[in-house]
Amino acid sequence: MASSPKESKKVIEGIFAINKPQWQSSAGVLRDLQTHFNTSALFTPWLDSQRRNLVLSNARPKNIRNLQVKLGHGGTLDPLATGVLIVGVGRGTKTLQRFLECTKTYECVVLFGAATDSYDAVGKVVGKKPYGHVTRDMVEGALEGFRGKIMQRPSVFSALKVNGKKMYEYARAGGEIPEVQAREVEVRELEMVEWLHPGSHSFTWPKEEVDGVEKVGAEKLMGVRDPGDVGEDSLETRGIKRTRLEEADEDEDHITNSGSHPKKPKTDDEPAMSGALPIPDAQPEASVEAPNEAPQNQSITNLSLEPKPPAARLRMTVTSGFYVRSLCHDLGLALNTFGLMSSLIRTRQGDYSLKENVLEYSDLEAGPEVWEPKVQQHLEAFMEKEGWEQEAVIEDEEWREKLKELMKDRKEGDRDRSFQGGRKNWNGNGNKKGKGRNYYSKDMNGGGGGGGGGSGWKGKHGKNFRGGAFN
């Protein structure tokens, strides 16, 4: 049974998980947690232990004053997604890599008929295609080709780097775009849990469209042609998914890129995800009443301005490196239409699952009396599983005595070092002859071991300095 945080004198650290809310960045969640943890009695022993270690290591006073609880996350969730976010505390940040490599379970909604530069509902539309032919049975059949080990390529507008330049920089420039090799990922489970008929849901295409050189760059990598060209040859049946050539800086074991939370849109639809290039100002909007769908042979240019395409809710368990929004994009291509990600929830990561052993974000707002016992329980369970012993923090009086002895020893050491000097070899004229290092003894015997045993030196007047006297 977990002890009361106010009575505990032991350092607590490790791993726990929190349900990340919509419209907050992963780094922003860490920042909020850090604000609560810095003033919590639960983490006072950890802060005291770290400060004392900094003092012992002769750290800068500024670093000691600005010390905060060390936090990191085990895999980024985009601002528009919700679900399990693994959080490392203290020594737990060193174990986060295992959570980047573990399996994860997601639920998503794929919306058919349009493709965006970010493969999701907050990007810009690159192209549209008829969707009237898409049925539940067709989607069920197409999913078979996405199970098991598959190959995936990156999004054209991803933040991955090729030759030191981000992919979306190549795409937006509209010039030559280097080829990116697909990588192998594994889909262990994939099923459609709900078919959303046209007009039965509120998911819509983004309003903003890509144009200019940005459109040219996007079309080159996505296989999207002029909206009026909907022939079979416009479909690029390529490998699945993006690769990680150079990751963004979010997999550190400390807080990074902790900017402000993205602006919340006007609607309260399900969480959507932008796994490549978040575009806060291009949020999905609710549609107005319109005809359900276009016939299969209808040109995309004649589609209603407010279409109601079908959608499908999918559940999947995947390995590390898998991006759900790329699955949605490639599923659309496999059905001879387009598809984009409209919703994403990470329901499980490793051993942590929603509604089982994940802290609710609302617990933070409820106060420390609500969240402290839960976080303590999760961290202590992790430490026990890892075989970590909880460090006991010594009382302040004992620490002051220890510090007093330390400062005394350090002062003695500083005094001893004050007698050290740089070696200077001099000739008879007092000129410097060579370089090196030597030490003068406290009794000024030239480092020769006492009496007149030092080798000494001779000044320009011919007098030798030995044993602390001129001869």
Side-chain angles (χ1 to χ4, degrees), residues 4 20 30 35 65 84 116 242 277 309 335 357 365 435:
S4 171
K20 190 193 83 66
L30 293 187
T35 299
R65 289 194 308 269
V84 178
T116 64
R242 40 184 275 169
L277 184 64
L335 295 168
N357 54 352
E365 300 175 354
K435 298 180 180 179

Side-chain angles (χ1 to χ4, degrees), residues 99-269:
F99 294 97
L100 298 175
E101 299 169 352
C102 69
T103 61
K104 307 172 183 69
T105 300
Y106 295 94
E107 287 189 6
C108 77
V109 172
V110 53
L111 181 67
F112 298 105
T116 64
D117 53 15
S118 58
Y119 294 2
D120 59 40
V122 296
K124 297 179 181 179
V125 174
V126 178
K128 301 175 183 176
K129 292 191 70 173
Y131 49 79
H133 62 286
V134 179
T135 65
R136 177 171 189 156
D137 289 340
M138 286 185 63
V139 175
E140 291 276 15
L143 290 179
E144 183 61 33
F146 292 87
R147 296 186 179 102
K149 294 183 179 180
I150 59 177
M151 303 298 293
Q152 291 186 321
R153 295 182 187 274
S155 161
V156 59
F157 274 66
S158 72
L160 302 178
K161 292 182 179 180
V162 179
N163 299 326
K165 189 175 181 179
K166 295 179 180 178
M167 287 290 290
Y168 66 77
E169 293 175 344
Y170 287 108
R172 286 176 173 171
E176 292 298 323
I177 302 176
E179 181 180 358
V180 180
Q181 297 297 322
R183 67 174 296 170
E184 184 180 82
V185 293
E186 184 177 358
V187 180
R188 297 186 178 178
E189 297 179 5
L190 176 60
E191 61 177 337
M192 180 167 62
V193 295
E194 185 180 7
W195 173 252
L196 302 174
H197 293 279
S200 67
H201 58 84
S202 60
F203 299 107
T204 61
W205 301 338
K207 302 299 181 184
E208 191 172 3
E209 298 189 8
V210 175
D211 55 15
V213 294
E214 190 173 336
K215 182 179 181 65
V216 174
E219 289 179 341
K220 284 184 178 181
L221 282 187
M222 297 175 66
V224 178
R225 297 192 176 187
D226 189 298
D229 180 9
V230 293
E232 289 292 330
D233 59 359
S234 67
L235 173 63
E236 179 187 5
T237 55
R238 60 184 182 85
I240 317 301
K241 174 78 190 137
R242 40 184 275 169
T243 182
R244 275 192 269 180
L245 299 182
E246 295 182 30
E247 291 293 351
D249 297 329
E250 294 251 12
D251 287 336
E252 301 283 344
D253 61 355
H254 55 278
I255 299 178
T256 59
N257 300 329
S258 55
S260 59
H261 296 321
K263 181 180 179 181
K264 184 175 180 179
K266 298 178 181 179
T267 61
D268 293 320
D269 289 339

Side-chain angles (χ1 to χ4, degrees), residues 312-381:
R313 191 183 306 276
L314 309 178
R315 180 187 298 128
M316 66 204 73
T317 297
V318 298
T319 58
S320 175
F322 189 92
Y323 287 80
V324 181
R325 61 191 176 83
S326 290
L327 170 67
C328 295
H329 176 79
D330 293 321
L331 178 61
L333 295 179
L335 295 168
N336 195 25
T337 184
F338 293 140
L340 57 87
M341 167 71 75
S342 286
S343 169
L344 181 67
I345 304 173
R346 185 155 68 195
T347 60
R348 183 191 63 82
Q349 183 171 358
D351 296 330
Y352 295 89
S353 300
L354 292 179
K355 299 181 180 179
E356 292 184 12
N357 54 352
V358 175
L359 181 74
E360 292 297 328
Y361 198 82
S362 58
D363 290 339
L364 295 177
E365 300 175 354
E369 64 277 5
V370 174
W371 66 260
E372 277 183 345
K374 296 180 180 180
V375 172
Q376 182 176 7
Q377 181 181 3
H378 293 320
L379 293 179
E380 288 182 346

Side-chain angles (χ1 to χ4, degrees), residues 24 62 141 444:
Q24 291 192 1
K62 179 180 179 181
M444 301 301 290

